[in-house]
């Protein structure tokens, strides 16, 4: 694969994000950094180092909708923008969608025992839409599609970290452009997000994420071009490590359930110092571990005064 990595700064804790310029029948950029001036400069420089300019880019292909990846679809006057249809909601940001998204979080946070004051704070943080691009998708991709302009490169749906998440499998070189599915130095977080059908049922993000990791492992690829950090060669080994680590954390949560508890109580015990500043992340993790224990029949939830209370089975 004729691939060129571009490292882009972000304002987020994760640090730099990677975009990949791939020359096939079409010239495509996979992911496009956050919509900041610094990221724009890095993109421009990287594209010029590969011998092209911004007008040459024919397609921007997005691995998922998170703002550190989906910011600069707007930067390329001649490019189509491709991704999962869910991404489009975050590019268009219609008032109806934003309101639905708030309602979704309100409903689920309340059910999990989060006090009103935290809920509003959480929604405040979620509002941060400025690093997203605003040009809508020109083309929706689906599981099993071939990426236009790249014969032999297949779209693989891998939800969990994001509900819109795709990886792109180049069958000739047996490598994937992996977005945030598997990262070399940090575990990727299965965040709680509204489902792609925009209903009120909550996707079990950690369970989806584990299935997606197994889907990647089954491809037996030689290399993952990851969305952050280094390319990954020891793919199965790292996937096994990630799967095992989460299972161990889930067992710790099981230990905490010596008496029935709510999600917020578990989150506080697990992350006593950071849960207030990183509420979305820590809640997502706690909910994920409970989903995992529930799927193994080890815990069960009961609704008490409209709040989920978890106990051992
Ligand atoms: Zn992400």
């Amino acid at each position: 694969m004729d691939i060129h990595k571009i490292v882009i700064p972000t304002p987020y804790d994760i640090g730099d994000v990677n975009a990949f310029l791939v020359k096939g029948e079409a010239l495509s950029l996979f992911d496009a950094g956050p919509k900041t001036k610094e990221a724009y400069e890095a993109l421009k420089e990287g594209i010029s180092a590969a011998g092209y300019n911004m007008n040459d880019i024919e397609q921007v292909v997005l691995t998922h909708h998170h703002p550190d990846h989906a910011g600069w679809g707007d930067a390329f006057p001649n490019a189509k923008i491709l991704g999962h249809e869910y991404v489009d909601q975050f590019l268009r940001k219609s008032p109806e969608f934003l309101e639905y998204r708030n309602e979704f979080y309100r409903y689920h946070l309340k059910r999990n025992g989060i006090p009103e004051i935290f809920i509003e704070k959480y929604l405040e943080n979620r509002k941060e839409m400025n690093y997203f691009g605003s040009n809508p998708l020109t083309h929706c991709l689906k599981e099993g599609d071939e990426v236009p302009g790249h014969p032999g490169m297949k779209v693989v749906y891998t939800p969990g970290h994001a509900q819109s998440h795709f990886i792109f499998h180049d069958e000739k070189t047996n490598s994937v452009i992996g977005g945030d599915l598997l990262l070399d130095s940090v575990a990727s977080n299965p965040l709680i997000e509204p489902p792609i059908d925009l209903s009120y049922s909550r996707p079990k993000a950690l369970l989806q994420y584990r299935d997606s990791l197994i889907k990647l492992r089954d491809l037996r690829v030689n290399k993952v071009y990851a969305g952050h950090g280094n390319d990954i060669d020891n793919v199965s080994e790292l996937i096994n490590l990630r799967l095992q680590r989460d299972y161990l954390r889930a067992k710790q949560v099981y230990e905490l359930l010596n008496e029935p508890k709510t999600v917020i109580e578990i989150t506080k015990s697990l992350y006593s110092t950071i849960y207030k500043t990183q509420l979305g992340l820590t809640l997502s993790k706690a909910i994920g571990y409970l989903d995992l224990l529930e799927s193994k029949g080890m815990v069960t939830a009961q609704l008490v005064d409209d709040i989920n209370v978890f106990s051992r089975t």
Side-chain angles (χ1 to χ4, degrees):
M1 197 165 31
D2 182 356
I3 186 164
H4 181 95
K5 176 174 172 174
I6 302 173
V7 180
I8 303 167
T10 80
Y12 300 107
D13 291 342
I14 185 88
D16 295 342
V17 65
N18 302 322
F20 295 95
L21 187 63
V22 180
K23 175 74 185 125
E25 286 169 10
L27 180 64
S28 302
L29 182 71
F30 289 77
D31 283 344
K35 199 169 181 178
T36 64
K37 199 173 168 301
E38 293 77 8
Y40 183 87
E41 291 307 321
L43 272 171
K44 208 169 144 187
E45 227 170 86
I47 288 166
S48 123
Y52 301 100
N53 68 51
M54 303 297 263
N55 297 319
D56 295 329
I57 305 296
E58 293 167 278
Q59 302 184 138
V60 174
V61 185
L62 300 171
T63 59
H64 63 297
H65 68 278
H66 293 166
D68 48 339
H69 298 259
W72 274 121
D74 303 4
F76 308 96
N78 302 318
K80 296 179 179 141
I81 308 176
L82 290 73
H84 190 286
E85 63 176 344
Y86 187 81
V87 176
D88 210 36
Q89 302 289 353
F90 292 82
L91 300 174
R92 289 180 188 269
K93 304 179 251 312
S94 73
E96 297 76 31
F97 173 69
L98 297 181
E99 191 41 42
Y100 153 74
R101 186 162 162 263
N102 277 348
E103 279 309 306
F104 172 88
Y105 283 116
R106 254 184 218 120
Y107 174 82
H108 286 286
L109 293 171
K110 226 182 236 173
R111 282 224 146 185
N112 287 310
I114 319 305
E116 210 69 39
I117 175 161
F118 285 156
I119 295 183
E120 291 315 310
K121 210 167 118 190
Y122 182 87
L123 296 178
E124 252 338 278
N125 291 338
R126 297 267 89 186
K127 255 195 212 154
E128 204 209 77
M129 297 292 265
N130 18 347
Y131 297 133
F132 284 94
S134 30
N135 287 358
L137 293 183
T138 52
H139 185 90
C140 292
L141 296 171
K142 289 190 312 293
E143 163 85 8
D145 284 356
E146 190 169 65
V147 180
H150 297 273
M153 189 191 272
K154 289 282 167 63
V155 176
V156 185
Y157 183 48
T158 48
H161 169 68
Q163 292 306 309
S164 59
H165 203 286
F166 284 140
I167 59 175
F168 303 100
H169 181 210
D170 184 56
E171 294 174 335
K172 269 173 279 169
T173 56
N174 200 23
S175 57
V176 300
I177 294 174
D180 287 355
L181 178 57
L182 186 66
L183 304 175
D184 71 331
S185 54
V186 287
S188 177
N189 297 306
L191 298 170
I192 301 306
E193 292 177 339
I196 55 176
D197 66 1
L198 308 189
S199 70
Y200 282 87
S201 70
R202 176 178 65 78
K204 297 190 170 176
L206 182 62
L207 301 186
Q208 291 178 319
Y209 178 67
R210 292 169 74 80
D211 288 344
S212 293
L213 280 180
I214 291 165
K215 203 168 178 183
L216 170 59
R217 192 177 62 188
D218 288 347
L219 291 177
R220 300 185 174 279
V221 296
N222 309 314
K223 192 185 272 290
V224 171
Y225 295 98
H228 302 272
N230 300 317
D231 304 343
I232 299 164
D233 300 315
N234 57 336
V235 180
S236 317
E237 201 184 316
L238 189 57
I239 289 173
N240 291 340
L241 191 78
R242 296 278 184 262
L243 290 171
Q244 198 190 7
R245 175 86 224 248
D246 273 339
Y247 189 57
L248 290 176
R249 284 298 264 169
K251 287 219 300 225
Q252 284 179 346
V253 171
Y254 185 78
E255 295 307 316
L256 290 173
L257 286 171
N258 52 348
E259 56 185 270
K261 288 193 170 92
T262 64
V263 166
I264 189 71
E265 286 167 343
I266 290 162
T267 306
K268 282 180 187 171
S269 317
L270 285 176
Y271 307 103
S272 57
T273 52
I274 59 161
Y275 83 94
K276 277 190 184 170
T277 51
Q278 304 254 40
L279 188 66
L281 182 68
T282 53
L283 275 178
S284 289
K285 290 210 158 204
I287 290 172
Y289 299 134
L290 287 163
D291 285 343
L292 183 55
L293 292 170
E294 201 174 26
S295 77
K296 306 227 178 257
M298 294 167 75
V299 308
T300 175
Q302 222 188 340
L303 217 47
V304 180
D305 295 334
D306 278 340
I307 292 174
N308 275 324
V309 179
F310 290 85
S311 52
R312 293 179 185 167
T313 48

